[in-house]
Amino acid sequence: MDELKIGDKIFQVGLVSLSRSFRIDEKYRVTTEDGQIRREIRGIYTDYSLTIGDVDQEQYDLLIETLTSDEESKVVTLPYGRSGTVTFRAAFENISDGISYIDEDEDGNDEYFWDNLTVTFTAFEAKGVSM
């Protein structure tokens, strides 16, 4: 199991895949008369895409509620580099999951078990900006 930290909550999850992309925000980009490109970088943002599985269903429900809250952003801690982590403010976008199986409870009612949660964390702060 791996830990996913969102705000002050820690979720025990099974990490299926984790990828990151680096988004470069420029103040300007111009091509000079001699054909040279000039630009000034405002910031480099690290965005993550995460797929998890093998989560206790009670924790899963709490995680879904956390990810789909109406807050503008949340503080998240994710792996960065070989052995470190990075903590940053991010919006949670492109959240999806699916039913892995349906079971019947003691009263004969259907219980739905969700899995394969995928979420994109879009950084609100440039890399190197401390919290």
Side-chain angles (χ1 to χ4, degrees):
M1 288 290 218
D2 297 295
E3 288 185 352
L4 173 60
K5 186 174 181 185
I6 300 173
D8 59 352
K9 299 175 185 166
I10 297 176
F11 300 93
Q12 299 298 321
V13 300
L15 184 63
V16 174
S17 71
L18 178 65
S19 62
R20 62 185 178 180
S21 60
F22 299 94
R23 182 170 33 96
I24 298 172
D25 182 34
E26 299 172 331
K27 287 184 182 179
Y28 66 85
R29 175 187 286 249
V30 297
T31 303
T32 60
E33 287 188 26
D34 63 357
Q36 295 290 317
I37 295 176
R38 304 281 185 223
R39 70 180 183 164
E40 183 177 342
I41 295 175
R42 179 174 305 151
I44 300 173
Y45 300 81
T46 306
D47 300 329
Y48 285 80
S49 181
L50 171 68
T51 301
I52 61 172
D54 190 27
V55 181
D56 173 79
Q57 287 298 296
E58 287 183 22
Q59 277 230 332
Y60 193 92
D61 291 344
L62 180 58
L63 178 56
I64 287 293
E65 292 305 313
T66 300
L67 293 173
T68 59
S69 75
D70 60 0
E71 295 178 51
E72 179 185 52
S73 66
K74 289 188 183 266
V75 175
V76 62
T77 301
L78 293 168
Y80 189 88
R82 184 174 294 252
S83 60
T85 60
V86 62
T87 300
F88 60 99
R89 281 187 326 110
F92 305 149
E93 302 176 310
N94 304 319
I95 302 165
S96 65
D97 61 2
I99 291 178
S100 58
Y101 67 94
I102 302 171
D103 201 4
E104 228 176 72
D105 68 11
E106 298 167 352
D107 299 324
N109 299 315
D110 286 340
E111 286 187 311
Y112 304 102
F113 293 86
W114 296 84
D115 205 359
N116 295 317
L117 174 64
T118 300
V119 60
T120 300
F121 299 99
T122 302
F124 272 35
E125 297 171 331
K127 188 173 102 172
V129 176
S130 60
M131 298 277 312

